[in-house]
Amino acid sequence: MTAATVTEAGLAPDLDARQQAVLTSVAREAERELPRLTAQAVQVITNRVGDYYGARGIVLADDLRTVTRASLVGMLNVLSGARSAEAEDLSVARFAGRRRAEQGVPLEAVLHAFRLAGRELLSALLACARARPPHELATFLGIVTVAFDVVDTYSQSLVEGYRHAESLLDRCDSQRREAVLDVLLDGADAGPTDLARSASLLGLPPHGPYALLLCTVDPIGPTATSAVRDICAAHRLASVWCVRGDTELGIVALGRTTPTRLLEQLRPAVCGRLGLSSVFNSLHEVPEAHRMAGIALRTVEPEGKGLAWIEDRLLEAMVVSSPDLSGRLASRTLGGVLALREPDRGLLLETLSIWYECDRSAVLAARRLNCHRNTVLNRLRRIEELIGVSLDHHSGLIACHIALVVLRLLPWEAVREPAVAYV
């Protein structure tokens, strides 16, 4: 005999009259044992999932008993009627899922408890069938998958209700978190009690050390808003996040992690640019930390990819924080070089930049540039002639280095035409 199954709509239409009669009879007999069956299911759930159900758990005994009984009644009604599970029948499971989500019971525990109740139901049905004549037992065993599938259908509805409530709760939590973040970012006056409440709502410890980071994201990327926060979660760092336009903002509780270590952990996940603030210890410092993280973010080249901690980028931070003065310094310092046409201008700027990167060693710079040491020295002498400053003098050395940083970080339009050579 072919085993019958049940779909999300209910019982399969291939049960014959004899099968329907046996299924109805067995289910109704099990209904008469409902008080004992409910008590047994509650006892098993309390013993097996006691962290969340019963005296030691979130779900109180009366709540568990009521929901368990309603679920068993619903499934037995479907089986005893040998009919489809209608939306009204499944509403009991959806309600149970929503309720457990609102109570904060993990979905794994909810499903475990429901399946334990379903197992007790199947055991009761099988016990009733075994007390029947052999031909009725054989008939029931041929269609027992119907009972399994009814339990599975109710489980699916339970998950649907849980997910729906979870989505609503997440949306409410997200809106609440963003409202709290907005208040912190605005720098509103708040006492220690208010700050402690804000930290609790954000899921952060009441005191630092904290760090605030800003990360550019691709709005259409598959992991645009999750990769960085997932890394923090993997390293058990409490954090809170929000996305604003093409930037993701996060406040991370560092614990014993240093900013340098945090950047090392985040590096594989960053697809764009990331700026990290200085360490701060109180949430009332969030506005300044936000400003510092924004400056750090701007120290990463606009078209580049990388991570920047403000404490490691103080020179670059000064440049991007004062673009007018920085642009004037660059044009005044390297004006003679900037006035050249390409490719001469690019060649001299590249040589000067690599010379700095090689600790002002002409030998090392020549290796990087694939040319002779004397070629590097000749280019440096030409730069000195064009800018009117010796690269052996500390003022010219510092000014040229800063000017190169300006050219790397600021748009070309920010570098003004030189009026007077730097002296």
Side-chain angles (χ1 to χ4, degrees), residues 90-139:
L90 298 176
S91 66
V92 172
R94 292 193 179 96
F95 166 79
R98 288 195 302 271
R99 183 167 178 78
R100 298 298 177 248
E102 291 166 356
Q103 292 171 322
V105 183
L107 180 57
E108 294 79 5
V110 175
L111 273 175
H112 189 193
F114 190 86
R115 286 167 179 162
L116 289 173
R119 186 182 301 171
E120 292 302 313
L121 172 61
L122 295 171
S123 296
L125 291 170
L126 188 56
C128 292
R130 283 174 175 163
R132 300 299 181 91
H135 68 279
E136 289 191 20
L137 174 59
T139 299

Short mmCIF file of all heavy atoms in Angstrom, two decimals, residues 90-139:
data_model
loop_
_atom_site.label_atom_id
_atom_site.label_comp_id
_atom_site.label_asym_id
_atom_site.label_seq_id
_atom_site.Cartn_x
_atom_site.Cartn_y
_atom_site.Cartn_z
N LEU A 90 -4.02 26.24 11.34
CA LEU A 90 -2.59 26.57 11.44
C LEU A 90 -2.35 27.87 12.20
O LEU A 90 -1.21 28.16 12.58
CB LEU A 90 -1.99 26.67 10.04
CG LEU A 90 -2.04 25.38 9.23
CD1 LEU A 90 -1.51 25.61 7.82
CD2 LEU A 90 -1.26 24.27 9.91
N SER A 91 -3.41 28.66 12.43
CA SER A 91 -3.24 29.91 13.15
C SER A 91 -2.74 29.67 14.58
O SER A 91 -2.05 30.51 15.15
CB SER A 91 -4.55 30.69 13.19
OG SER A 91 -5.53 29.99 13.94
N VAL A 92 -3.08 28.49 15.14
CA VAL A 92 -2.60 28.17 16.49
C VAL A 92 -1.07 28.08 16.50
O VAL A 92 -0.40 28.61 17.38
CB VAL A 92 -3.22 26.84 16.97
CG1 VAL A 92 -2.58 26.40 18.28
CG2 VAL A 92 -4.72 26.98 17.12
N ALA A 93 -0.51 27.40 15.49
CA ALA A 93 0.95 27.26 15.41
C ALA A 93 1.61 28.60 15.13
O ALA A 93 2.67 28.92 15.70
CB ALA A 93 1.32 26.25 14.32
N ARG A 94 0.99 29.40 14.26
CA ARG A 94 1.56 30.72 13.96
C ARG A 94 1.56 31.60 15.21
O ARG A 94 2.51 32.33 15.48
CB ARG A 94 0.79 31.39 12.82
CG ARG A 94 0.97 30.70 11.48
CD ARG A 94 0.45 31.59 10.35
NE ARG A 94 0.65 30.93 9.07
CZ ARG A 94 -0.29 30.22 8.45
NH1 ARG A 94 -1.49 30.07 9.00
NH2 ARG A 94 -0.05 29.65 7.28
N PHE A 95 0.46 31.53 15.98
CA PHE A 95 0.39 32.29 17.22
C PHE A 95 1.49 31.85 18.19
O PHE A 95 2.15 32.68 18.82
CB PHE A 95 -0.98 32.10 17.88
CG PHE A 95 -1.03 32.57 19.31
CD1 PHE A 95 -1.15 33.91 19.61
CD2 PHE A 95 -0.92 31.65 20.36
CE1 PHE A 95 -1.17 34.34 20.92
CE2 PHE A 95 -0.94 32.07 21.68
CZ PHE A 95 -1.08 33.42 21.96
N ALA A 96 1.68 30.54 18.29
CA ALA A 96 2.72 30.03 19.19
C ALA A 96 4.10 30.53 18.77
O ALA A 96 4.92 30.93 19.61
CB ALA A 96 2.70 28.50 19.20
N GLY A 97 4.37 30.53 17.47
CA GLY A 97 5.65 31.03 16.97
C GLY A 97 5.84 32.50 17.28
O GLY A 97 6.91 32.93 17.74
N ARG A 98 4.79 33.30 17.04
CA ARG A 98 4.89 34.73 17.33
C ARG A 98 5.13 34.98 18.82
O ARG A 98 5.95 35.81 19.19
CB ARG A 98 3.60 35.45 16.89
CG ARG A 98 3.43 35.58 15.39
CD ARG A 98 2.36 36.61 15.05
NE ARG A 98 1.07 36.28 15.65
CZ ARG A 98 0.15 35.53 15.06
NH1 ARG A 98 0.39 35.00 13.88
NH2 ARG A 98 -1.01 35.30 15.66
N ARG A 99 4.40 34.25 19.64
CA ARG A 99 4.51 34.45 21.09
C ARG A 99 5.92 34.13 21.58
O ARG A 99 6.50 34.87 22.38
CB ARG A 99 3.48 33.59 21.82
CG ARG A 99 3.48 33.79 23.33
CD ARG A 99 2.24 33.17 23.96
NE ARG A 99 2.23 33.32 25.41
CZ ARG A 99 1.91 34.43 26.04
NH1 ARG A 99 1.56 35.52 25.35
NH2 ARG A 99 1.92 34.49 27.37
N ARG A 100 6.47 33.03 21.12
CA ARG A 100 7.81 32.66 21.57
C ARG A 100 8.87 33.64 21.08
O ARG A 100 9.84 33.92 21.79
CB ARG A 100 8.14 31.24 21.10
CG ARG A 100 7.21 30.17 21.68
CD ARG A 100 7.29 30.10 23.19
NE ARG A 100 6.34 29.11 23.71
CZ ARG A 100 5.27 29.43 24.43
NH1 ARG A 100 5.03 30.71 24.72
NH2 ARG A 100 4.45 28.50 24.87
N ALA A 101 8.68 34.16 19.88
CA ALA A 101 9.62 35.18 19.38
C ALA A 101 9.56 36.42 20.25
O ALA A 101 10.60 37.01 20.60
CB ALA A 101 9.30 35.52 17.93
N GLU A 102 8.37 36.83 20.61
CA GLU A 102 8.20 38.02 21.45
C GLU A 102 8.77 37.80 22.85
O GLU A 102 9.20 38.74 23.51
CB GLU A 102 6.72 38.39 21.54
CG GLU A 102 6.16 38.91 20.22
CD GLU A 102 4.63 38.93 20.20
OE1 GLU A 102 4.02 38.47 21.20
OE2 GLU A 102 4.06 39.40 19.20
N GLN A 103 8.76 36.54 23.29
CA GLN A 103 9.33 36.22 24.61
C GLN A 103 10.84 36.07 24.57
O GLN A 103 11.48 35.95 25.61
CB GLN A 103 8.69 34.93 25.14
CG GLN A 103 7.22 35.09 25.50
CD GLN A 103 6.57 33.75 25.83
OE1 GLN A 103 6.85 32.73 25.20
NE2 GLN A 103 5.69 33.75 26.82
N GLY A 104 11.41 36.05 23.38
CA GLY A 104 12.86 35.94 23.26
C GLY A 104 13.39 34.53 23.33
O GLY A 104 14.59 34.33 23.60
N VAL A 105 12.55 33.54 23.09
CA VAL A 105 13.01 32.15 23.08
C VAL A 105 13.66 31.87 21.73
O VAL A 105 13.05 32.14 20.69
CB VAL A 105 11.84 31.17 23.31
CG1 VAL A 105 12.35 29.73 23.37
CG2 VAL A 105 11.09 31.53 24.58
N PRO A 106 14.88 31.33 21.68
CA PRO A 106 15.52 31.04 20.38
C PRO A 106 14.69 30.09 19.55
O PRO A 106 14.03 29.18 20.08
CB PRO A 106 16.86 30.41 20.78
CG PRO A 106 17.11 30.87 22.18
CD PRO A 106 15.75 30.99 22.81
N LEU A 107 14.72 30.28 18.24
CA LEU A 107 13.92 29.45 17.34
C LEU A 107 14.28 27.98 17.48
O LEU A 107 13.41 27.10 17.42
CB LEU A 107 14.12 29.91 15.89
CG LEU A 107 13.35 29.12 14.83
CD1 LEU A 107 11.86 29.13 15.10
CD2 LEU A 107 13.65 29.68 13.44
N GLU A 108 15.56 27.66 17.68
CA GLU A 108 15.97 26.27 17.83
C GLU A 108 15.26 25.62 19.01
O GLU A 108 14.80 24.47 18.92
CB GLU A 108 17.49 26.17 18.01
CG GLU A 108 18.31 26.60 16.81
CD GLU A 108 18.44 28.10 16.68
OE1 GLU A 108 17.95 28.82 17.59
OE2 GLU A 108 19.00 28.56 15.68
N ALA A 109 15.16 26.35 20.12
CA ALA A 109 14.48 25.81 21.30
C ALA A 109 12.98 25.67 21.06
O ALA A 109 12.36 24.70 21.52
CB ALA A 109 14.74 26.72 22.51
N VAL A 110 12.39 26.62 20.35
CA VAL A 110 10.96 26.57 20.04
C VAL A 110 10.65 25.34 19.19
O VAL A 110 9.70 24.59 19.47
CB VAL A 110 10.51 27.85 19.32
CG1 VAL A 110 9.04 27.75 18.90
CG2 VAL A 110 10.72 29.07 20.21
N LEU A 111 11.44 25.13 18.15
CA LEU A 111 11.22 23.97 17.28
C LEU A 111 11.46 22.66 18.04
O LEU A 111 10.73 21.68 17.85
CB LEU A 111 12.14 24.05 16.07
CG LEU A 111 11.62 24.83 14.87
CD1 LEU A 111 12.69 24.93 13.79
CD2 LEU A 111 10.36 24.19 14.30
N HIS A 112 12.48 22.65 18.88
CA HIS A 112 12.76 21.44 19.67
C HIS A 112 11.56 21.09 20.54
O HIS A 112 11.11 19.93 20.59
CB HIS A 112 14.00 21.66 20.53
CG HIS A 112 14.49 20.42 21.21
ND1 HIS A 112 15.42 20.44 22.22
CD2 HIS A 112 14.16 19.12 21.05
CE1 HIS A 112 15.65 19.21 22.63
NE2 HIS A 112 14.89 18.39 21.94
N ALA A 113 11.01 22.10 21.22
CA ALA A 113 9.86 21.86 22.09
C ALA A 113 8.66 21.37 21.28
O ALA A 113 7.96 20.43 21.69
CB ALA A 113 9.51 23.14 22.84
N PHE A 114 8.41 21.99 20.13
CA PHE A 114 7.25 21.59 19.33
C PHE A 114 7.41 20.17 18.81
O PHE A 114 6.45 19.38 18.79
CB PHE A 114 7.06 22.56 18.17
CG PHE A 114 5.75 22.36 17.44
CD1 PHE A 114 4.60 22.99 17.88
CD2 PHE A 114 5.68 21.53 16.33
CE1 PHE A 114 3.39 22.79 17.22
CE2 PHE A 114 4.47 21.33 15.67
CZ PHE A 114 3.32 21.97 16.12
N ARG A 115 8.61 19.82 18.41
CA ARG A 115 8.83 18.47 17.90
C ARG A 115 8.73 17.42 18.99
O ARG A 115 8.30 16.28 18.74
CB ARG A 115 10.18 18.41 17.19
CG ARG A 115 10.15 19.12 15.84
CD ARG A 115 11.51 19.34 15.26
NE ARG A 115 11.42 20.00 13.95
CZ ARG A 115 12.42 20.62 13.35
NH1 ARG A 115 13.60 20.68 13.96
NH2 ARG A 115 12.25 21.18 12.18
N LEU A 116 9.10 17.80 20.22
CA LEU A 116 8.91 16.88 21.34
C LEU A 116 7.42 16.62 21.57
O LEU A 116 6.99 15.48 21.80
CB LEU A 116 9.55 17.44 22.61
CG LEU A 116 11.09 17.46 22.64
CD1 LEU A 116 11.58 18.21 23.87
CD2 LEU A 116 11.65 16.03 22.64
N ALA A 117 6.62 17.69 21.49
CA ALA A 117 5.17 17.52 21.62
C ALA A 117 4.62 16.68 20.48
O ALA A 117 3.76 15.80 20.68
CB ALA A 117 4.49 18.89 21.65
N GLY A 118 5.14 16.91 19.27
CA GLY A 118 4.71 16.12 18.12
C GLY A 118 5.07 14.66 18.28
O GLY A 118 4.30 13.76 17.89
N ARG A 119 6.24 14.41 18.89
CA ARG A 119 6.65 13.03 19.10
C ARG A 119 5.72 12.33 20.10
O ARG A 119 5.36 11.16 19.92
CB ARG A 119 8.08 13.00 19.62
CG ARG A 119 8.66 11.60 19.75
CD ARG A 119 10.07 11.65 20.32
NE ARG A 119 10.95 12.44 19.47
CZ ARG A 119 12.19 12.79 19.81
NH1 ARG A 119 12.68 12.42 20.99
NH2 ARG A 119 12.93 13.51 18.98
N GLU A 120 5.30 13.06 21.13
CA GLU A 120 4.35 12.49 22.09
C GLU A 120 3.02 12.19 21.41
O GLU A 120 2.38 11.17 21.69
CB GLU A 120 4.15 13.45 23.27
CG GLU A 120 5.36 13.62 24.16
CD GLU A 120 5.82 12.30 24.75
OE1 GLU A 120 4.95 11.54 25.26
OE2 GLU A 120 7.03 12.00 24.69
N LEU A 121 2.59 13.07 20.51
CA LEU A 121 1.35 12.84 19.78
C LEU A 121 1.45 11.57 18.92
O LEU A 121 0.54 10.73 18.93
CB LEU A 121 1.03 14.04 18.90
CG LEU A 121 -0.13 13.89 17.91
CD1 LEU A 121 -1.43 13.62 18.66
CD2 LEU A 121 -0.26 15.11 17.01
N LEU A 122 2.55 11.44 18.21
CA LEU A 122 2.73 10.26 17.35
C LEU A 122 2.79 8.98 18.19
O LEU A 122 2.25 7.94 17.79
CB LEU A 122 4.00 10.42 16.52
CG LEU A 122 3.98 11.57 15.50
CD1 LEU A 122 5.36 11.77 14.89
CD2 LEU A 122 2.96 11.29 14.40
N SER A 123 3.44 9.05 19.35
CA SER A 123 3.50 7.88 20.23
C SER A 123 2.11 7.49 20.71
O SER A 123 1.76 6.30 20.78
CB SER A 123 4.41 8.16 21.43
OG SER A 123 5.74 8.38 21.01
N ALA A 124 1.28 8.49 21.04
CA ALA A 124 -0.09 8.22 21.50
C ALA A 124 -0.92 7.59 20.39
O ALA A 124 -1.68 6.64 20.63
CB ALA A 124 -0.73 9.51 22.00
N LEU A 125 -0.78 8.11 19.18
CA LEU A 125 -1.52 7.55 18.04
C LEU A 125 -1.11 6.10 17.79
O LEU A 125 -1.96 5.23 17.55
CB LEU A 125 -1.28 8.40 16.79
CG LEU A 125 -1.88 9.80 16.78
CD1 LEU A 125 -1.34 10.60 15.60
CD2 LEU A 125 -3.41 9.74 16.73
N LEU A 126 0.20 5.86 17.86
CA LEU A 126 0.69 4.51 17.60
C LEU A 126 0.22 3.55 18.69
O LEU A 126 -0.14 2.39 18.42
CB LEU A 126 2.21 4.53 17.53
CG LEU A 126 2.88 3.23 17.07
CD1 LEU A 126 2.36 2.78 15.71
CD2 LEU A 126 4.40 3.39 17.03
N ALA A 127 0.17 4.02 19.94
CA ALA A 127 -0.29 3.17 21.05
C ALA A 127 -1.76 2.80 20.85
O ALA A 127 -2.17 1.64 21.10
CB ALA A 127 -0.10 3.89 22.38
N CYS A 128 -2.55 3.79 20.41
CA CYS A 128 -3.97 3.51 20.14
C CYS A 128 -4.11 2.50 19.00
O CYS A 128 -4.96 1.59 19.06
CB CYS A 128 -4.71 4.79 19.81
SG CYS A 128 -4.87 5.95 21.20
N ALA A 129 -3.31 2.65 17.96
CA ALA A 129 -3.40 1.75 16.81
C ALA A 129 -2.99 0.33 17.17
O ALA A 129 -3.58 -0.65 16.67
CB ALA A 129 -2.54 2.29 15.67
N ARG A 130 -2.02 0.18 18.05
CA ARG A 130 -1.55 -1.15 18.42
C ARG A 130 -2.60 -1.94 19.22
O ARG A 130 -2.53 -3.17 19.31
CB ARG A 130 -0.26 -1.03 19.23
CG ARG A 130 0.96 -0.74 18.35
CD ARG A 130 2.18 -0.48 19.18
NE ARG A 130 3.37 -0.32 18.34
CZ ARG A 130 4.50 0.22 18.75
NH1 ARG A 130 4.60 0.68 19.99
NH2 ARG A 130 5.53 0.31 17.93
N ALA A 131 -3.53 -1.21 19.83
CA ALA A 131 -4.60 -1.88 20.58
C ALA A 131 -5.73 -2.34 19.66
O ALA A 131 -6.68 -2.98 20.14
CB ALA A 131 -5.14 -0.94 21.66
N ARG A 132 -5.63 -2.02 18.36
CA ARG A 132 -6.66 -2.39 17.40
C ARG A 132 -6.39 -3.77 16.82
O ARG A 132 -5.29 -4.32 16.96
CB ARG A 132 -6.70 -1.36 16.26
CG ARG A 132 -6.99 0.07 16.68
CD ARG A 132 -8.37 0.15 17.35
NE ARG A 132 -8.70 1.52 17.75
CZ ARG A 132 -9.35 2.39 16.97
NH1 ARG A 132 -9.69 2.05 15.74
NH2 ARG A 132 -9.64 3.58 17.44
N PRO A 133 -7.40 -4.33 16.12
CA PRO A 133 -7.18 -5.60 15.41
C PRO A 133 -6.03 -5.46 14.42
O PRO A 133 -5.72 -4.35 13.95
CB PRO A 133 -8.51 -5.84 14.70
CG PRO A 133 -9.51 -5.05 15.50
CD PRO A 133 -8.79 -3.86 16.01
N PRO A 134 -5.37 -6.55 14.07
CA PRO A 134 -4.20 -6.50 13.19
C PRO A 134 -4.45 -5.78 11.86
O PRO A 134 -3.57 -5.04 11.40
CB PRO A 134 -3.86 -7.98 12.97
CG PRO A 134 -4.38 -8.66 14.19
CD PRO A 134 -5.63 -7.92 14.58
N HIS A 135 -5.62 -5.97 11.25
CA HIS A 135 -5.85 -5.34 9.95
C HIS A 135 -5.95 -3.82 10.09
O HIS A 135 -5.53 -3.06 9.20
CB HIS A 135 -7.10 -5.92 9.28
CG HIS A 135 -8.38 -5.56 9.97
ND1 HIS A 135 -8.84 -6.23 11.08
CD2 HIS A 135 -9.30 -4.59 9.70
CE1 HIS A 135 -10.00 -5.71 11.47
NE2 HIS A 135 -10.30 -4.71 10.65
N GLU A 136 -6.51 -3.33 11.22
CA GLU A 136 -6.57 -1.89 11.42
C GLU A 136 -5.18 -1.32 11.72
O GLU A 136 -4.84 -0.21 11.28
CB GLU A 136 -7.54 -1.55 12.56
CG GLU A 136 -9.00 -1.78 12.21
CD GLU A 136 -9.93 -1.19 13.25
OE1 GLU A 136 -9.48 -0.31 14.03
OE2 GLU A 136 -11.10 -1.59 13.29
N LEU A 137 -4.39 -2.07 12.52
CA LEU A 137 -3.01 -1.63 12.77
C LEU A 137 -2.23 -1.54 11.47
O LEU A 137 -1.50 -0.56 11.24
CB LEU A 137 -2.33 -2.60 13.73
CG LEU A 137 -0.84 -2.35 13.99
CD1 LEU A 137 -0.60 -0.95 14.56
CD2 LEU A 137 -0.26 -3.41 14.91
N ALA A 138 -2.39 -2.55 10.61
CA ALA A 138 -1.69 -2.54 9.33
C ALA A 138 -2.12 -1.35 8.48
O ALA A 138 -1.31 -0.70 7.82
CB ALA A 138 -1.93 -3.85 8.59
N THR A 139 -3.42 -1.06 8.49
CA THR A 139 -3.93 0.08 7.73
C THR A 139 -3.33 1.38 8.27
O THR A 139 -2.89 2.25 7.50
CB THR A 139 -5.46 0.14 7.80
OG1 THR A 139 -6.01 -1.04 7.23
CG2 THR A 139 -5.99 1.36 7.06
#
